Amino acid sequence: MILKMKKNSIYILVFCFFFVSLWYFGSNKNTWDSIWNYGFSLAIAKGQIPYLDFTMVITPLYNMIMAIGLLFSHEYIIYIIEQSILLTICFYFLHQIYEKKAWIYLTLFVIPYYYPLIPSYNTFLFVLLSGILYLEKKEKDHFLIGFLIACMVLTKQTVGIFFLIPSIVFYWKKWNVLKKRILGFFIPIGLFAIYLIGTRSLIAFIDLCILGLLDFGIKNTIWNNGYFWVSGMIFFMNVIAILKQKKNIVLWYALMGYTVLIPIYATYHFQVYLLFCFLCIMELKVRWDVLFRNLSIFIIFFQSALYGYINQSKSVEIVHNIHNFQFIFLMNGQKETIEFCRNLYLKYKRENKNTYFLSNQTSWILSVTEEKYDYFSVLNQGNFGYGGSQKMIQKIKKMKNAYFMINAEEVEEAKSNPRFHQLDIEIIQYVMDHSELIEEKEMYKVYHYSIK
């Protein structure tokens, strides 16, 4: 009984670690993914339909799950709690499989930039994989394995579909096993298809998440850097490990994790990829359990102390009076920026409902004002289906009277360094060229578009 309580207390401590890390260290990470995903989940919690009411280029399972807590409260801190629960579940499965060696994963989540902690569908893919690995190791239900693989597809279709490959490679001669996995796979896929048909969002889903991938890949590919070459070497070593341990399906799952990087070989995606490829280290036939645990605890304390010092030196502050972001740590000045943008947005929104904020900051504004998400909410290149930028320009052309707010500094930065910015400048440039500039405050410009 005491031993069981001790084991459970470990997971409570791990949850607290994830929560504090997300709350204090992670909530101010400017990856945009966290606020975009929060906005998607908030929109779903309010009854909006993905693809039909607002743009998403991935399947929606993660955002639907995260919307559950937001049904009761729209506060971002609820989102952090939900993410911490998911990460704790992930650690539970890894701990059941690898025991003390699993502690190294706590360091992978926080070093060097806390990126894998950030609420995002990419990390949720690994959470689902941890459940699959647990079932594989314990030789549990093949139907449930197929079900979880389908959940990966419904989390991010361009990655999840590749996780079918290990089952096909290992069980193509064992039809009874493969049949159970296929059945488990197609049930959630079928339910999702029914959902798309029932909500009349099937055509929009095909356009945004299938046909639009060509546009997304062309406009957002980042590969000619160190991450591309380092990940390529890791991939090659993973293949060698598979050749040496041909009966180890975990190594195949690790290999499939490489798809998380495609097409953006950047710091965030690379650190998430490390979660997958490090499974190869876990599978080494060595007893490093105590070393992994003790080293992980030391690194975590060192990293936390270092980031605590950095955050304080940057004047991180906890906010109390921003709607839906109570008790969240933000960088100094970020609170004032949000309030300024909110007030400027509402000034024109009260005059004309066709008011849009064309910026990476839009999700913040829509969240604090409780406005609905739409196709302008995440203005990223490749986010609007096949030939999407022109579709959005045609949408603007049909507007008789509208206001557009633009962050001029953000636009100039994206123009000068387009390789590292996803902001769709083509759409913004059209607004600037065909609208009247009516107000300019600090870095923000307000344009009035009208058909005369």
PDB file of all heavy atoms in Angstrom, residues 265-295:
ATOM      1  N   TYR A 265      12.326  22.545 -40.942  1.00  0.00           N
ATOM      2  CA  TYR A 265      13.453  22.082 -40.130  1.00  0.00           C
ATOM      3  C   TYR A 265      13.935  23.249 -39.271  1.00  0.00           C
ATOM      4  O   TYR A 265      14.922  23.910 -39.588  1.00  0.00           O
ATOM      5  CB  TYR A 265      14.567  21.570 -41.036  1.00  0.00           C
ATOM      6  CG  TYR A 265      14.204  20.300 -41.778  1.00  0.00           C
ATOM      7  CD1 TYR A 265      13.437  20.355 -42.943  1.00  0.00           C
ATOM      8  CD2 TYR A 265      14.614  19.058 -41.321  1.00  0.00           C
ATOM      9  CE1 TYR A 265      13.090  19.198 -43.633  1.00  0.00           C
ATOM     10  CE2 TYR A 265      14.279  17.899 -41.996  1.00  0.00           C
ATOM     11  CZ  TYR A 265      13.516  17.976 -43.151  1.00  0.00           C
ATOM     12  OH  TYR A 265      13.163  16.827 -43.820  1.00  0.00           O
ATOM     13  N   ALA A 266      13.208  23.511 -38.194  1.00  0.00           N
ATOM     14  CA  ALA A 266      13.504  24.634 -37.313  1.00  0.00           C
ATOM     15  C   ALA A 266      13.691  24.128 -35.886  1.00  0.00           C
ATOM     16  O   ALA A 266      13.469  22.946 -35.594  1.00  0.00           O
ATOM     17  CB  ALA A 266      12.390  25.675 -37.381  1.00  0.00           C
ATOM     18  N   THR A 267      14.076  25.046 -34.990  1.00  0.00           N
ATOM     19  CA  THR A 267      14.389  24.670 -33.607  1.00  0.00           C
ATOM     20  C   THR A 267      13.232  23.947 -32.934  1.00  0.00           C
ATOM     21  O   THR A 267      13.423  22.895 -32.305  1.00  0.00           O
ATOM     22  CB  THR A 267      14.755  25.930 -32.793  1.00  0.00           C
ATOM     23  OG1 THR A 267      15.817  26.617 -33.442  1.00  0.00           O
ATOM     24  CG2 THR A 267      15.185  25.550 -31.385  1.00  0.00           C
ATOM     25  N   TYR A 268      12.036  24.503 -33.045  1.00  0.00           N
ATOM     26  CA  TYR A 268      10.867  23.914 -32.374  1.00  0.00           C
ATOM     27  C   TYR A 268      10.620  22.484 -32.857  1.00  0.00           C
ATOM     28  O   TYR A 268      10.505  21.549 -32.053  1.00  0.00           O
ATOM     29  CB  TYR A 268       9.639  24.786 -32.615  1.00  0.00           C
ATOM     30  CG  TYR A 268       8.340  24.098 -32.278  1.00  0.00           C
ATOM     31  CD1 TYR A 268       8.026  23.781 -30.960  1.00  0.00           C
ATOM     32  CD2 TYR A 268       7.440  23.736 -33.278  1.00  0.00           C
ATOM     33  CE1 TYR A 268       6.844  23.129 -30.649  1.00  0.00           C
ATOM     34  CE2 TYR A 268       6.259  23.094 -32.976  1.00  0.00           C
ATOM     35  CZ  TYR A 268       5.966  22.789 -31.658  1.00  0.00           C
ATOM     36  OH  TYR A 268       4.799  22.139 -31.359  1.00  0.00           O
ATOM     37  N   HIS A 269      10.549  22.297 -34.167  1.00  0.00           N
ATOM     38  CA  HIS A 269      10.255  20.967 -34.705  1.00  0.00           C
ATOM     39  C   HIS A 269      11.384  19.981 -34.416  1.00  0.00           C
ATOM     40  O   HIS A 269      11.131  18.797 -34.172  1.00  0.00           O
ATOM     41  CB  HIS A 269      10.010  21.060 -36.216  1.00  0.00           C
ATOM     42  CG  HIS A 269       8.780  21.828 -36.574  1.00  0.00           C
ATOM     43  ND1 HIS A 269       8.777  23.185 -36.740  1.00  0.00           N
ATOM     44  CD2 HIS A 269       7.497  21.417 -36.767  1.00  0.00           C
ATOM     45  CE1 HIS A 269       7.555  23.588 -37.038  1.00  0.00           C
ATOM     46  NE2 HIS A 269       6.762  22.540 -37.048  1.00  0.00           N
ATOM     47  N   PHE A 270      12.620  20.473 -34.425  1.00  0.00           N
ATOM     48  CA  PHE A 270      13.748  19.585 -34.140  1.00  0.00           C
ATOM     49  C   PHE A 270      13.702  19.091 -32.700  1.00  0.00           C
ATOM     50  O   PHE A 270      13.953  17.906 -32.436  1.00  0.00           O
ATOM     51  CB  PHE A 270      15.072  20.305 -34.401  1.00  0.00           C
ATOM     52  CG  PHE A 270      16.278  19.440 -34.146  1.00  0.00           C
ATOM     53  CD1 PHE A 270      16.656  18.474 -35.059  1.00  0.00           C
ATOM     54  CD2 PHE A 270      17.023  19.598 -32.979  1.00  0.00           C
ATOM     55  CE1 PHE A 270      17.775  17.662 -34.814  1.00  0.00           C
ATOM     56  CE2 PHE A 270      18.131  18.802 -32.733  1.00  0.00           C
ATOM     57  CZ  PHE A 270      18.503  17.828 -33.658  1.00  0.00           C
ATOM     58  N   GLN A 271      13.356  19.983 -31.759  1.00  0.00           N
ATOM     59  CA  GLN A 271      13.316  19.551 -30.364  1.00  0.00           C
ATOM     60  C   GLN A 271      12.183  18.564 -30.124  1.00  0.00           C
ATOM     61  O   GLN A 271      12.318  17.640 -29.312  1.00  0.00           O
ATOM     62  CB  GLN A 271      13.179  20.758 -29.423  1.00  0.00           C
ATOM     63  CG  GLN A 271      13.508  20.385 -27.976  1.00  0.00           C
ATOM     64  CD  GLN A 271      13.613  21.581 -27.055  1.00  0.00           C
ATOM     65  OE1 GLN A 271      13.718  22.716 -27.502  1.00  0.00           O
ATOM     66  NE2 GLN A 271      13.555  21.326 -25.759  1.00  0.00           N
ATOM     67  N   VAL A 272      11.075  18.709 -30.847  1.00  0.00           N
ATOM     68  CA  VAL A 272       9.999  17.708 -30.753  1.00  0.00           C
ATOM     69  C   VAL A 272      10.460  16.393 -31.359  1.00  0.00           C
ATOM     70  O   VAL A 272      10.177  15.308 -30.821  1.00  0.00           O
ATOM     71  CB  VAL A 272       8.722  18.215 -31.459  1.00  0.00           C
ATOM     72  CG1 VAL A 272       7.659  17.113 -31.500  1.00  0.00           C
ATOM     73  CG2 VAL A 272       8.164  19.441 -30.748  1.00  0.00           C
ATOM     74  N   TYR A 273      11.189  16.463 -32.465  1.00  0.00           N
ATOM     75  CA  TYR A 273      11.707  15.256 -33.104  1.00  0.00           C
ATOM     76  C   TYR A 273      12.612  14.466 -32.164  1.00  0.00           C
ATOM     77  O   TYR A 273      12.630  13.226 -32.188  1.00  0.00           O
ATOM     78  CB  TYR A 273      12.459  15.630 -34.383  1.00  0.00           C
ATOM     79  CG  TYR A 273      13.250  14.512 -34.999  1.00  0.00           C
ATOM     80  CD1 TYR A 273      12.641  13.295 -35.322  1.00  0.00           C
ATOM     81  CD2 TYR A 273      14.611  14.662 -35.267  1.00  0.00           C
ATOM     82  CE1 TYR A 273      13.380  12.258 -35.888  1.00  0.00           C
ATOM     83  CE2 TYR A 273      15.346  13.630 -35.835  1.00  0.00           C
ATOM     84  CZ  TYR A 273      14.726  12.426 -36.139  1.00  0.00           C
ATOM     85  OH  TYR A 273      15.453  11.395 -36.701  1.00  0.00           O
ATOM     86  N   LEU A 274      13.361  15.168 -31.310  1.00  0.00           N
ATOM     87  CA  LEU A 274      14.243  14.484 -30.364  1.00  0.00           C
ATOM     88  C   LEU A 274      13.469  13.538 -29.448  1.00  0.00           C
ATOM     89  O   LEU A 274      13.998  12.514 -29.017  1.00  0.00           O
ATOM     90  CB  LEU A 274      15.013  15.506 -29.521  1.00  0.00           C
ATOM     91  CG  LEU A 274      16.111  16.316 -30.223  1.00  0.00           C
ATOM     92  CD1 LEU A 274      16.764  17.289 -29.258  1.00  0.00           C
ATOM     93  CD2 LEU A 274      17.155  15.391 -30.843  1.00  0.00           C
ATOM     94  N   LEU A 275      12.226  13.869 -29.132  1.00  0.00           N
ATOM     95  CA  LEU A 275      11.398  12.982 -28.305  1.00  0.00           C
ATOM     96  C   LEU A 275      11.247  11.628 -28.971  1.00  0.00           C
ATOM     97  O   LEU A 275      11.304  10.579 -28.312  1.00  0.00           O
ATOM     98  CB  LEU A 275      10.023  13.596 -28.068  1.00  0.00           C
ATOM     99  CG  LEU A 275       9.949  14.937 -27.344  1.00  0.00           C
ATOM    100  CD1 LEU A 275       8.499  15.410 -27.277  1.00  0.00           C
ATOM    101  CD2 LEU A 275      10.532  14.832 -25.935  1.00  0.00           C
ATOM    102  N   PHE A 276      11.069  11.651 -30.284  1.00  0.00           N
ATOM    103  CA  PHE A 276      10.880  10.403 -31.036  1.00  0.00           C
ATOM    104  C   PHE A 276      12.202   9.650 -31.207  1.00  0.00           C
ATOM    105  O   PHE A 276      12.286   8.448 -30.914  1.00  0.00           O
ATOM    106  CB  PHE A 276      10.282  10.707 -32.416  1.00  0.00           C
ATOM    107  CG  PHE A 276       8.873  11.205 -32.391  1.00  0.00           C
ATOM    108  CD1 PHE A 276       8.604  12.560 -32.250  1.00  0.00           C
ATOM    109  CD2 PHE A 276       7.809  10.324 -32.497  1.00  0.00           C
ATOM    110  CE1 PHE A 276       7.299  13.033 -32.223  1.00  0.00           C
ATOM    111  CE2 PHE A 276       6.501  10.779 -32.473  1.00  0.00           C
ATOM    112  CZ  PHE A 276       6.245  12.138 -32.332  1.00  0.00           C
ATOM    113  N   CYS A 277      13.227  10.356 -31.693  1.00  0.00           N
ATOM    114  CA  CYS A 277      14.466   9.645 -32.013  1.00  0.00           C
ATOM    115  C   CYS A 277      15.177   9.135 -30.760  1.00  0.00           C
ATOM    116  O   CYS A 277      15.954   8.174 -30.829  1.00  0.00           O
ATOM    117  CB  CYS A 277      15.395  10.535 -32.835  1.00  0.00           C
ATOM    118  SG  CYS A 277      16.098  11.942 -31.953  1.00  0.00           S
ATOM    119  N   PHE A 278      14.900   9.752 -29.593  1.00  0.00           N
ATOM    120  CA  PHE A 278      15.571   9.303 -28.371  1.00  0.00           C
ATOM    121  C   PHE A 278      15.069   7.933 -27.919  1.00  0.00           C
ATOM    122  O   PHE A 278      15.673   7.306 -27.052  1.00  0.00           O
ATOM    123  CB  PHE A 278      15.381  10.329 -27.251  1.00  0.00           C
ATOM    124  CG  PHE A 278      16.572  10.458 -26.348  1.00  0.00           C
ATOM    125  CD1 PHE A 278      17.639  11.266 -26.718  1.00  0.00           C
ATOM    126  CD2 PHE A 278      16.654   9.750 -25.159  1.00  0.00           C
ATOM    127  CE1 PHE A 278      18.746  11.375 -25.908  1.00  0.00           C
ATOM    128  CE2 PHE A 278      17.766   9.855 -24.339  1.00  0.00           C
ATOM    129  CZ  PHE A 278      18.814  10.668 -24.711  1.00  0.00           C
ATOM    130  N   LEU A 279      13.996   7.458 -28.522  1.00  0.00           N
ATOM    131  CA  LEU A 279      13.521   6.101 -28.226  1.00  0.00           C
ATOM    132  C   LEU A 279      14.591   5.070 -28.586  1.00  0.00           C
ATOM    133  O   LEU A 279      14.648   3.992 -27.979  1.00  0.00           O
ATOM    134  CB  LEU A 279      12.231   5.806 -28.994  1.00  0.00           C
ATOM    135  CG  LEU A 279      10.997   6.594 -28.547  1.00  0.00           C
ATOM    136  CD1 LEU A 279       9.845   6.385 -29.525  1.00  0.00           C
ATOM    137  CD2 LEU A 279      10.565   6.175 -27.144  1.00  0.00           C
ATOM    138  N   CYS A 280      15.436   5.396 -29.560  1.00  0.00           N
ATOM    139  CA  CYS A 280      16.537   4.496 -29.922  1.00  0.00           C
ATOM    140  C   CYS A 280      17.503   4.330 -28.757  1.00  0.00           C
ATOM    141  O   CYS A 280      18.026   3.234 -28.522  1.00  0.00           O
ATOM    142  CB  CYS A 280      17.274   5.026 -31.153  1.00  0.00           C
ATOM    143  SG  CYS A 280      16.262   5.099 -32.647  1.00  0.00           S
ATOM    144  N   ILE A 281      17.752   5.417 -28.022  1.00  0.00           N
ATOM    145  CA  ILE A 281      18.612   5.356 -26.837  1.00  0.00           C
ATOM    146  C   ILE A 281      17.951   4.518 -25.753  1.00  0.00           C
ATOM    147  O   ILE A 281      18.595   3.713 -25.077  1.00  0.00           O
ATOM    148  CB  ILE A 281      18.907   6.775 -26.302  1.00  0.00           C
ATOM    149  CG1 ILE A 281      19.507   7.657 -27.392  1.00  0.00           C
ATOM    150  CG2 ILE A 281      19.805   6.713 -25.077  1.00  0.00           C
ATOM    151  CD1 ILE A 281      20.851   7.212 -27.876  1.00  0.00           C
ATOM    152  N   MET A 282      16.657   4.693 -25.613  1.00  0.00           N
ATOM    153  CA  MET A 282      15.919   3.928 -24.599  1.00  0.00           C
ATOM    154  C   MET A 282      16.000   2.427 -24.844  1.00  0.00           C
ATOM    155  O   MET A 282      15.953   1.624 -23.905  1.00  0.00           O
ATOM    156  CB  MET A 282      14.439   4.352 -24.599  1.00  0.00           C
ATOM    157  CG  MET A 282      14.162   5.784 -24.189  1.00  0.00           C
ATOM    158  SD  MET A 282      14.391   6.077 -22.412  1.00  0.00           S
ATOM    159  CE  MET A 282      16.044   6.778 -22.436  1.00  0.00           C
ATOM    160  N   GLU A 283      16.121   2.050 -26.113  1.00  0.00           N
ATOM    161  CA  GLU A 283      16.118   0.633 -26.473  1.00  0.00           C
ATOM    162  C   GLU A 283      17.497  -0.025 -26.386  1.00  0.00           C
ATOM    163  O   GLU A 283      17.630  -1.218 -26.629  1.00  0.00           O
ATOM    164  CB  GLU A 283      15.562   0.458 -27.891  1.00  0.00           C
ATOM    165  CG  GLU A 283      14.079   0.759 -28.011  1.00  0.00           C
ATOM    166  CD  GLU A 283      13.225  -0.198 -27.201  1.00  0.00           C
ATOM    167  OE1 GLU A 283      13.379  -1.428 -27.357  1.00  0.00           O
ATOM    168  OE2 GLU A 283      12.404   0.282 -26.388  1.00  0.00           O
ATOM    169  N   LEU A 284      18.529   0.752 -26.067  1.00  0.00           N
ATOM    170  CA  LEU A 284      19.858   0.162 -25.911  1.00  0.00           C
ATOM    171  C   LEU A 284      19.880  -0.821 -24.739  1.00  0.00           C
ATOM    172  O   LEU A 284      19.277  -0.571 -23.698  1.00  0.00           O
ATOM    173  CB  LEU A 284      20.903   1.266 -25.672  1.00  0.00           C
ATOM    174  CG  LEU A 284      21.214   2.186 -26.859  1.00  0.00           C
ATOM    175  CD1 LEU A 284      22.186   3.272 -26.427  1.00  0.00           C
ATOM    176  CD2 LEU A 284      21.792   1.398 -28.035  1.00  0.00           C
ATOM    177  N   LYS A 285      20.573  -1.883 -24.905  1.00  0.00           N
ATOM    178  CA  LYS A 285      20.623  -2.937 -23.891  1.00  0.00           C
ATOM    179  C   LYS A 285      21.669  -2.618 -22.823  1.00  0.00           C
ATOM    180  O   LYS A 285      22.667  -3.307 -22.652  1.00  0.00           O
ATOM    181  CB  LYS A 285      20.925  -4.295 -24.540  1.00  0.00           C
ATOM    182  CG  LYS A 285      19.971  -4.681 -25.650  1.00  0.00           C
ATOM    183  CD  LYS A 285      18.529  -4.795 -25.167  1.00  0.00           C
ATOM    184  CE  LYS A 285      17.599  -5.234 -26.287  1.00  0.00           C
ATOM    185  NZ  LYS A 285      16.188  -5.297 -25.825  1.00  0.00           N
ATOM    186  N   VAL A 286      21.461  -1.521 -22.139  1.00  0.00           N
ATOM    187  CA  VAL A 286      22.370  -1.133 -21.058  1.00  0.00           C
ATOM    188  C   VAL A 286      21.541  -0.731 -19.848  1.00  0.00           C
ATOM    189  O   VAL A 286      20.397  -0.298 -19.973  1.00  0.00           O
ATOM    190  CB  VAL A 286      23.281   0.043 -21.478  1.00  0.00           C
ATOM    191  CG1 VAL A 286      24.269  -0.391 -22.536  1.00  0.00           C
ATOM    192  CG2 VAL A 286      22.452   1.221 -21.975  1.00  0.00           C
ATOM    193  N   ARG A 287      22.111  -0.841 -18.667  1.00  0.00           N
ATOM    194  CA  ARG A 287      21.418  -0.507 -17.420  1.00  0.00           C
ATOM    195  C   ARG A 287      21.902   0.837 -16.910  1.00  0.00           C
ATOM    196  O   ARG A 287      22.851   0.939 -16.136  1.00  0.00           O
ATOM    197  CB  ARG A 287      21.658  -1.603 -16.380  1.00  0.00           C
ATOM    198  CG  ARG A 287      21.144  -2.982 -16.779  1.00  0.00           C
ATOM    199  CD  ARG A 287      19.644  -3.017 -16.941  1.00  0.00           C
ATOM    200  NE  ARG A 287      18.972  -2.698 -15.696  1.00  0.00           N
ATOM    201  CZ  ARG A 287      17.654  -2.599 -15.551  1.00  0.00           C
ATOM    202  NH1 ARG A 287      16.870  -2.762 -16.593  1.00  0.00           N
ATOM    203  NH2 ARG A 287      17.128  -2.313 -14.381  1.00  0.00           N
ATOM    204  N   TRP A 288      21.269   1.891 -17.413  1.00  0.00           N
ATOM    205  CA  TRP A 288      21.634   3.242 -17.011  1.00  0.00           C
ATOM    206  C   TRP A 288      20.542   3.878 -16.149  1.00  0.00           C
ATOM    207  O   TRP A 288      20.484   5.097 -16.008  1.00  0.00           O
ATOM    208  CB  TRP A 288      21.854   4.118 -18.236  1.00  0.00           C
ATOM    209  CG  TRP A 288      23.004   3.713 -19.091  1.00  0.00           C
ATOM    210  CD1 TRP A 288      23.994   2.840 -18.781  1.00  0.00           C
ATOM    211  CD2 TRP A 288      23.287   4.195 -20.403  1.00  0.00           C
ATOM    212  NE1 TRP A 288      24.884   2.731 -19.819  1.00  0.00           N
ATOM    213  CE2 TRP A 288      24.470   3.549 -20.842  1.00  0.00           C
ATOM    214  CE3 TRP A 288      22.662   5.092 -21.262  1.00  0.00           C
ATOM    215  CZ2 TRP A 288      25.019   3.783 -22.086  1.00  0.00           C
ATOM    216  CZ3 TRP A 288      23.221   5.332 -22.504  1.00  0.00           C
ATOM    217  CH2 TRP A 288      24.385   4.687 -22.903  1.00  0.00           C
ATOM    218  N   ASP A 289      19.682   3.064 -15.596  1.00  0.00           N
ATOM    219  CA  ASP A 289      18.477   3.574 -14.937  1.00  0.00           C
ATOM    220  C   ASP A 289      18.782   4.671 -13.915  1.00  0.00           C
ATOM    221  O   ASP A 289      18.239   5.772 -13.978  1.00  0.00           O
ATOM    222  CB  ASP A 289      17.734   2.431 -14.244  1.00  0.00           C
ATOM    223  CG  ASP A 289      17.235   1.396 -15.236  1.00  0.00           C
ATOM    224  OD1 ASP A 289      17.913   1.226 -16.274  1.00  0.00           O
ATOM    225  OD2 ASP A 289      16.198   0.794 -14.992  1.00  0.00           O
ATOM    226  N   VAL A 290      19.638   4.349 -12.954  1.00  0.00           N
ATOM    227  CA  VAL A 290      19.925   5.295 -11.871  1.00  0.00           C
ATOM    228  C   VAL A 290      20.646   6.522 -12.417  1.00  0.00           C
ATOM    229  O   VAL A 290      20.361   7.653 -12.016  1.00  0.00           O
ATOM    230  CB  VAL A 290      20.762   4.610 -10.770  1.00  0.00           C
ATOM    231  CG1 VAL A 290      21.138   5.616  -9.689  1.00  0.00           C
ATOM    232  CG2 VAL A 290      19.984   3.449 -10.159  1.00  0.00           C
ATOM    233  N   LEU A 291      21.593   6.297 -13.347  1.00  0.00           N
ATOM    234  CA  LEU A 291      22.310   7.419 -13.949  1.00  0.00           C
ATOM    235  C   LEU A 291      21.342   8.360 -14.659  1.00  0.00           C
ATOM    236  O   LEU A 291      21.426   9.581 -14.505  1.00  0.00           O
ATOM    237  CB  LEU A 291      23.353   6.895 -14.939  1.00  0.00           C
ATOM    238  CG  LEU A 291      24.104   7.972 -15.741  1.00  0.00           C
ATOM    239  CD1 LEU A 291      24.899   8.865 -14.804  1.00  0.00           C
ATOM    240  CD2 LEU A 291      25.000   7.328 -16.791  1.00  0.00           C
ATOM    241  N   PHE A 292      20.409   7.809 -15.442  1.00  0.00           N
ATOM    242  CA  PHE A 292      19.436   8.619 -16.167  1.00  0.00           C
ATOM    243  C   PHE A 292      18.598   9.444 -15.192  1.00  0.00           C
ATOM    244  O   PHE A 292      18.370  10.629 -15.396  1.00  0.00           O
ATOM    245  CB  PHE A 292      18.517   7.721 -17.011  1.00  0.00           C
ATOM    246  CG  PHE A 292      19.049   7.458 -18.381  1.00  0.00           C
ATOM    247  CD1 PHE A 292      20.357   7.040 -18.565  1.00  0.00           C
ATOM    248  CD2 PHE A 292      18.243   7.617 -19.493  1.00  0.00           C
ATOM    249  CE1 PHE A 292      20.859   6.777 -19.833  1.00  0.00           C
ATOM    250  CE2 PHE A 292      18.734   7.374 -20.767  1.00  0.00           C
ATOM    251  CZ  PHE A 292      20.049   6.937 -20.935  1.00  0.00           C
ATOM    252  N   ARG A 293      18.136   8.810 -14.139  1.00  0.00           N
ATOM    253  CA  ARG A 293      17.273   9.506 -13.185  1.00  0.00           C
ATOM    254  C   ARG A 293      18.020  10.637 -12.480  1.00  0.00           C
ATOM    255  O   ARG A 293      17.557  11.780 -12.455  1.00  0.00           O
ATOM    256  CB  ARG A 293      16.732   8.525 -12.136  1.00  0.00           C
ATOM    257  CG  ARG A 293      15.741   9.160 -11.171  1.00  0.00           C
ATOM    258  CD  ARG A 293      15.459   8.234 -10.006  1.00  0.00           C
ATOM    259  NE  ARG A 293      16.673   7.978  -9.223  1.00  0.00           N
ATOM    260  CZ  ARG A 293      16.748   7.109  -8.214  1.00  0.00           C
ATOM    261  NH1 ARG A 293      15.684   6.413  -7.874  1.00  0.00           N
ATOM    262  NH2 ARG A 293      17.882   6.935  -7.549  1.00  0.00           N
ATOM    263  N   ASN A 294      19.194  10.320 -11.925  1.00  0.00           N
ATOM    264  CA  ASN A 294      19.945  11.327 -11.161  1.00  0.00           C
ATOM    265  C   ASN A 294      20.441  12.469 -12.046  1.00  0.00           C
ATOM    266  O   ASN A 294      20.379  13.643 -11.661  1.00  0.00           O
ATOM    267  CB  ASN A 294      21.129  10.675 -10.445  1.00  0.00           C
ATOM    268  CG  ASN A 294      20.675   9.691  -9.377  1.00  0.00           C
ATOM    269  OD1 ASN A 294      19.530   9.741  -8.924  1.00  0.00           O
ATOM    270  ND2 ASN A 294      21.549   8.792  -8.982  1.00  0.00           N
ATOM    271  N   LEU A 295      20.911  12.117 -13.228  1.00  0.00           N
ATOM    272  CA  LEU A 295      21.374  13.147 -14.158  1.00  0.00           C
ATOM    273  C   LEU A 295      20.214  14.040 -14.593  1.00  0.00           C
ATOM    274  O   LEU A 295      20.362  15.260 -14.693  1.00  0.00           O
ATOM    275  CB  LEU A 295      22.025  12.499 -15.382  1.00  0.00           C
ATOM    276  CG  LEU A 295      22.606  13.456 -16.434  1.00  0.00           C
ATOM    277  CD1 LEU A 295      23.715  14.298 -15.816  1.00  0.00           C
ATOM    278  CD2 LEU A 295      23.120  12.662 -17.643  1.00  0.00           C
TER     279      LEU A 295
END
